Amino acid sequence: MKKTVIFILTALIVCSALYLTFKREFDQFNPFYEEQYVYAVINEPAKKEGKNEWIRYRYKLTGYTGKGEKKKITFSSSKEQKSEGYVRVLAKGSYTKEWILIEEKVIPGNVLNQLRSH
């Protein structure tokens, strides 16, 4: 009995560590998450990743869905994006399927109000 409990606890710890480490990859295939558009404003500097010609710029932002739900999003780009630009991300949990820079007039009114007050 004691060995079974230790085995189960060890398996839970390993599975939890794997999930936290590879959350974006798991979210990509998770059937319980739905894809949704999240709107955000680039108001934080990007974190540089890579070396020499392989540099990527990773952005971690807070955005809002069309329903006004607050979401954390992450996306990366091969070039640095201008500050105060608007972006629309197609997200599924922590996974970013695609992103695009958009103009202010494309953003739904309730979401734009939340972005301006944030």
Side-chain angles (χ1 to χ4, degrees), residues 29-80:
F29 301 108
N30 188 337
F32 299 111
Y33 285 129
E34 64 180 49
E35 290 180 352
Q36 57 186 337
Y37 286 107
V38 180
Y39 301 90
V41 61
I42 300 174
N43 55 6
E44 297 179 15
K47 180 182 174 188
K48 268 188 178 180
E49 297 177 341
K51 295 180 181 177
N52 300 329
E53 68 273 359
W54 303 105
I55 291 179
R56 300 283 302 173
Y57 297 91
R58 182 165 304 278
Y59 293 89
K60 293 185 179 186
L61 306 171
T62 301
Y64 296 91
T65 65
K67 298 177 183 176
E69 299 169 348
K70 189 175 188 177
K71 298 280 183 183
K72 298 273 185 186
I73 57 169
T74 302
F75 71 95
S76 66
S77 172
S78 59
K79 61 182 183 176
E80 198 165 9

Side-chain angles (χ1 to χ4, degrees), residues 39 64-68 107-116:
Y39 301 90
Y64 296 91
T65 65
K67 298 177 183 176
I107 302 172
N110 62 332
V111 176
L112 188 58
N113 290 337
Q114 289 177 312
L115 288 175
R116 287 180 177 162

Side-chain angles (χ1 to χ4, degrees), residues 76-93:
S76 66
S77 172
S78 59
K79 61 182 183 176
E80 198 165 9
Q81 303 300 317
K82 66 179 183 173
S83 184
E84 301 305 318
Y86 292 99
V87 64
R88 183 182 73 186
V89 174
L90 181 56
K92 184 176 180 185

